[in-house]
């Protein structure tokens, strides 16, 4: 049954680390079908006209005539809708009207008086504060006070979601970020605090506070490792998932022990096992091409303690995945779906961002702590398809959450734009995936637990528009086709 086990492990790894770009189950029969659909889509939508237009735009771009390049690209790229304007953040209550001041004063006075009665707390504190935040979302101290007050009354989830909404609206505000980190640390979520600090540091490298957040991120990360150590080292059952995930029975390293060696060591162990079990593409030209782009984007991202690695796997499912420590894998099915270097760079930047923000590492840590290993161990030991399927579906729920996907998008698109690529590279790949979804070739179980590509597209549109990123940069259609011929 060795072969069966290997397939199971491959599936497990895929399930553990696939990001939302995964829209298909790794079922061989379906996969073949998928490739055909992808090809049809390409022939219909990205035939000679699109290619020729982009080729011409690239020619002007390379000559430095960015205006002309933009003009040409606009012929085949419909404009995005204007985003709803986000009001500029405001810290001064005096700049708002009397109603805002009334909400603020009423709540503050009641907080001082600290009423006992729950109804009174709701009516005198939370109602005015929630009205303040709803009606004056630009007033940042309102969000902070509401989060603090939820915290004061022991409503942790509400406190966090309040500050997260504010952080999403005003990601550049240090006061919001500091409050978010403070709450995450208070609620014993040091890795999440580390990710938040890192997200700021790499999203705003020009900020004078960037270096401080980066060092804070490392400090919180160490805190997380201590927490992990105390939670996992006492549990022997965890050996099961560790061995299964890294395929390394000889060493008998548990998942917890593996994680304690850090992100790079964890990623490397899993990557080596993954490579040994997969059909790897060894075409030197293709590998050199994706490695050049990957390394350039990783450098722009700024987290330089990783040994980044970019690999291609023979697999027709359109997928890409990021292991901890910057080990990135592209499926041939994903490369076939794409038509330009900007699209490749879009997916690449998104995946590198997952690694930079420790998303895979976090997910493994959650599995270790939640003892997911127990089920997995019995599933593998028994070699029973039903148990394995159960384990698979349990882990599918643990795919990167919507907020992690957004984080990777935000950071990824910043770097995509900074690299001179058309900032809608990832968007265009999403459009192709959405087209495939529309053809109904997607497992319903996956769709039900993930935001559909179209939702992602709307969000990416808004992101590109509000940040003013350039959709009409280098597209690189010829460079891409030279390496991945049609
Ligand atoms: Zn993702």
């Amino acid at each position: 049954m060795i072969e069966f086990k290997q397939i199971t492990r491959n599936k497990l790894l895929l399930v553990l680390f696939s990001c939302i770009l995964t829209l298909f189950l790794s079922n061989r029969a379906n996969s073949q079908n998928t490739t055909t659909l992808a090809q049809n889509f390409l022939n219909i939508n990205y035939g000679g006209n699109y290619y020729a237009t982009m080729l011409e735009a690239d020619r002007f771009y390379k000559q430095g005539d960015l205006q002309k390049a933009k003009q040409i690209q606009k012929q085949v790229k419909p404009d995005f809708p204007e985003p709803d304007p986000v009001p500029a953040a405001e810290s001064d209550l005096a700049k708002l009207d009397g109603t805002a001041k009334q909400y603020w004063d009423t709540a503050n006075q009641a907080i001082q008086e600290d009423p006992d009665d729950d109804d009174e707390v709701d009516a005198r504190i939370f109602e005015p504060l929630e009205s303040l935040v709803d009606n004056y979302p630009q007033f940042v101290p309102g969000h902070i006070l509401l989060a603090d007050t939820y915290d004061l009354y022991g409503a942790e989830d509400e406190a966090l979601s309040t500050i997260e909404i504010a952080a999403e609206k005003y990601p550049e505000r240090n006061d919001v970020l500091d409050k978010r980190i403070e709450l995450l640390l208070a609620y014993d979520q040091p890795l999440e605090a580390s990710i938040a600090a890192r997200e700021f540091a790499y999203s705003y490298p020009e900020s004078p506070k960037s270096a401080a957040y980066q060092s804070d991120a490392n400090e919180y990360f160490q805190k997380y490792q201590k927490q992990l150590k105390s939670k996992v080292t006492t549990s022997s059952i965890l050996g099961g998932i560790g061995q299964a995930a890294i395929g390394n029975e000889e060493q008998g390293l548990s998942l917890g022990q593996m994680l304690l060696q850090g992100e790079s060591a964890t990623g490397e162990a899993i990557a080596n096992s993954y490579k040994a079990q997969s059909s790897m593409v060894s075409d030197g030209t293709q590998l050199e091409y994706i490695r050049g782009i990957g390394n350039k984007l990783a450098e722009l991202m700024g987290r330089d303690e990783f040994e980044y690695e970019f690999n291609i796997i023979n697999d027709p499912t359109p997928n890409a995945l990021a292991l901890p420590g910057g080990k990135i894998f592209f499926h041939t099915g994903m490369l076939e779906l794409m038509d330009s270097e900007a699209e490749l760079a879009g997916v690449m930047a998104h995946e590198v961002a997952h690694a930079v923000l420790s998303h895979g590492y976090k997910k493994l840590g959650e599995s270790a702590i939640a003892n997911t290993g127990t089920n997995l161990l019995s599933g593998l030991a028994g070699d029973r398809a039903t148990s394995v399927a159960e384990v698979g579906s349990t882990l599918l729920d643990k795919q990167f959450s919507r907020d992690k996907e957004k984080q990777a998008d935000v950071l990824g698109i910043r770097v995509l734009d900074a690299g001179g690529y058309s900032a809608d590279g990832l968007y265009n790949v999403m459009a192709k995936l959405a087209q495939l979804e529309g053809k109904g070739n997607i497992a319903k179980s996956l769709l039900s637990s993930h935001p559909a590509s179209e939702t992602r597209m709307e969000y990416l549109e808004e992101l590109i528009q509000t940040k003013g990123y350039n959709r009409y940069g280098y597209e690189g259609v010829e460079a891409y086709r030279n390496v991945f011929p049609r």
Side-chain angles (χ1 to χ4, degrees):
M1 295 301 277
I2 284 169
E3 197 186 339
F4 177 79
K5 277 197 177 181
Q6 280 181 347
I7 291 167
T8 310
R9 282 181 193 148
N10 263 339
K11 278 195 176 172
L12 168 73
L13 286 166
L14 193 70
V15 159
L16 271 171
F17 292 103
S18 320
C19 73
I20 205 69
L21 291 168
T22 318
L23 289 160
F24 303 88
L25 286 170
S26 58
N27 175 307
R28 292 282 148 181
N30 273 353
S31 301
Q32 290 304 334
N33 205 0
T34 299
T35 308
T36 317
L37 272 178
Q39 289 302 339
N40 285 343
F41 174 80
L42 297 180
N43 293 339
I44 296 162
N45 294 277
Y46 292 85
N49 189 37
Y50 186 90
Y51 181 82
T53 309
M54 286 303 179
L55 191 64
E56 205 193 345
D58 276 341
R59 196 163 56 82
F60 283 104
Y61 185 88
K62 282 194 220 158
Q63 288 167 6
D65 193 343
L66 306 191
Q67 268 319 102
K68 186 77 182 163
K70 176 178 175 174
Q71 216 175 53
I72 296 168
Q73 285 203 28
K74 276 170 94 68
Q75 294 168 14
V76 287
K77 287 184 177 178
D79 285 346
F80 286 163
E82 282 300 313
D84 293 334
V86 177
E90 180 59 71
S91 296
D92 186 358
L93 188 60
K95 297 248 173 73
L96 306 176
D97 63 21
T99 315
K101 191 173 175 343
Q102 207 178 338
Y103 289 142
W104 176 261
D105 290 346
T106 309
N108 270 300
Q109 197 184 334
I111 291 168
Q112 296 274 317
E113 290 169 17
D114 190 19
D116 286 337
D117 182 75
D118 281 354
D119 290 340
E120 213 183 322
V121 168
D122 274 344
R124 292 181 55 203
I125 300 178
F126 286 109
E127 278 177 25
L129 275 183
E130 278 161 6
S131 301
L132 179 67
V133 164
D134 287 348
N135 295 304
Y136 305 90
Q138 73 274 33
F139 184 54
V140 171
H143 295 277
I144 293 176
L145 182 62
L146 180 59
D148 262 338
T149 312
Y150 275 131
D151 176 54
L152 185 68
Y153 285 91
E156 292 189 4
D157 290 350
E158 286 80 359
L160 271 185
S161 71
T162 298
I163 205 68
E164 270 155 20
I165 290 167
E168 199 170 303
K169 242 185 205 24
Y170 299 108
E172 74 289 356
R173 290 284 299 217
N174 294 131
D175 49 359
V176 173
L177 175 61
D178 291 343
K179 179 56 65 184
R180 187 168 168 224
I181 289 172
E182 182 195 314
L183 292 172
L184 287 167
L185 292 174
Y187 302 155
D188 219 15
Q189 298 185 40
L191 184 55
E192 210 47 57
S194 170
I195 293 172
R198 224 183 274 290
E199 191 184 9
F200 182 92
Y202 294 125
S203 297
Y204 301 97
E206 71 291 349
S207 159
K209 297 203 168 178
S210 171
Y213 281 118
Q214 208 162 313
S215 107
D216 289 349
N218 292 335
E219 189 194 317
Y220 307 146
F221 189 85
Q222 282 168 8
K223 213 173 195 156
Y224 170 74
Q225 285 207 310
K226 270 192 198 148
Q227 188 188 66
L228 192 66
K229 195 172 183 178
S230 70
K231 286 188 182 168
V232 300
T233 45
T234 51
S235 173
S236 61
I237 193 82
L238 287 165
I241 189 171
Q243 286 158 6
I246 64 175
N248 198 355
E249 287 89 341
E250 292 79 22
Q251 281 186 10
L253 194 66
S254 79
L255 175 64
Q257 286 162 337
M258 184 171 80
L259 291 172
L260 288 172
Q261 295 183 355
E263 287 175 274
S264 292
T266 301
E268 202 177 330
I270 299 175
N272 287 341
S273 151
Y274 197 30
K275 279 186 271 186
Q277 291 164 12
S278 309
S279 159
M280 305 302 294
V281 170
S282 57
D283 182 306
T285 311
Q286 293 185 356
L287 289 173
E288 197 184 324
Y289 183 63
I290 69 152
R291 285 169 184 168
I293 295 161
N295 283 318
K296 172 179 155 181
L297 293 169
E299 202 166 308
L300 285 168
M301 203 74 77
R303 192 165 180 191
D304 54 12
E305 81 250 36
F306 292 158
E307 291 267 338
Y308 290 90
E309 213 182 81
F310 306 95
N311 301 293
I312 307 173
I313 294 176
N314 275 309
D315 188 324
T317 47
N319 193 16
L321 41 146
L323 299 183
K327 312 290 188 212
I328 312 292
F329 291 81
F330 273 83
H331 285 188
T332 44
M334 181 55 100
L335 295 163
E336 279 168 31
L337 185 77
M338 300 190 292
D339 287 278
S340 73
E341 190 168 314
E343 292 177 7
L344 171 61
V347 174
M348 181 76 85
H350 174 92
E351 295 302 329
V352 172
H354 274 310
V356 163
L357 296 173
S358 311
H359 290 165
Y361 187 80
K362 178 170 188 283
K363 186 151 54 172
L364 277 178
E366 284 162 359
S367 301
I369 290 169
N371 233 343
T372 320
T374 317
N375 288 337
L376 182 74
L377 185 61
S378 64
L380 286 178
D383 270 349
R384 287 177 296 119
T386 47
S387 310
V388 172
E390 274 166 30
V391 172
S393 59
T394 311
L395 289 174
L396 268 177
D397 289 338
K398 293 187 189 303
Q399 279 199 304
F400 293 147
S401 58
R402 192 179 289 230
D403 71 310
K404 294 283 169 290
E405 289 305 327
K406 261 191 179 182
Q407 286 178 357
D409 284 342
V410 170
L411 192 52
I413 306 251
R414 177 186 80 69
V415 167
L416 182 64
D417 184 75
Y421 292 111
S422 295
D424 58 6
L426 179 61
Y427 172 93
N428 290 330
V429 176
M430 284 294 160
K432 292 171 192 182
L433 288 170
Q435 180 97 354
L436 293 174
E437 280 176 40
K439 300 201 178 193
N441 200 31
I442 280 190
K444 292 283 178 251
S445 61
L446 273 178
L447 270 185
S448 59
S449 59
H450 293 88
S453 301
E454 279 186 27
T455 316
R456 288 285 290 287
M457 287 167 69
E458 279 172 24
Y459 167 69
L460 289 169
E461 268 180 21
E462 201 182 301
L463 181 70
I464 290 166
Q465 295 282 79
T466 50
K467 297 269 183 185
Y469 292 141
N470 179 24
R471 278 181 76 197
Y472 315 104
Y474 178 58
E475 200 66 39
V477 284
E478 190 178 30
Y480 191 84
R481 199 170 277 199
N482 282 342
V483 180
F484 299 104
R486 294 281 172 239

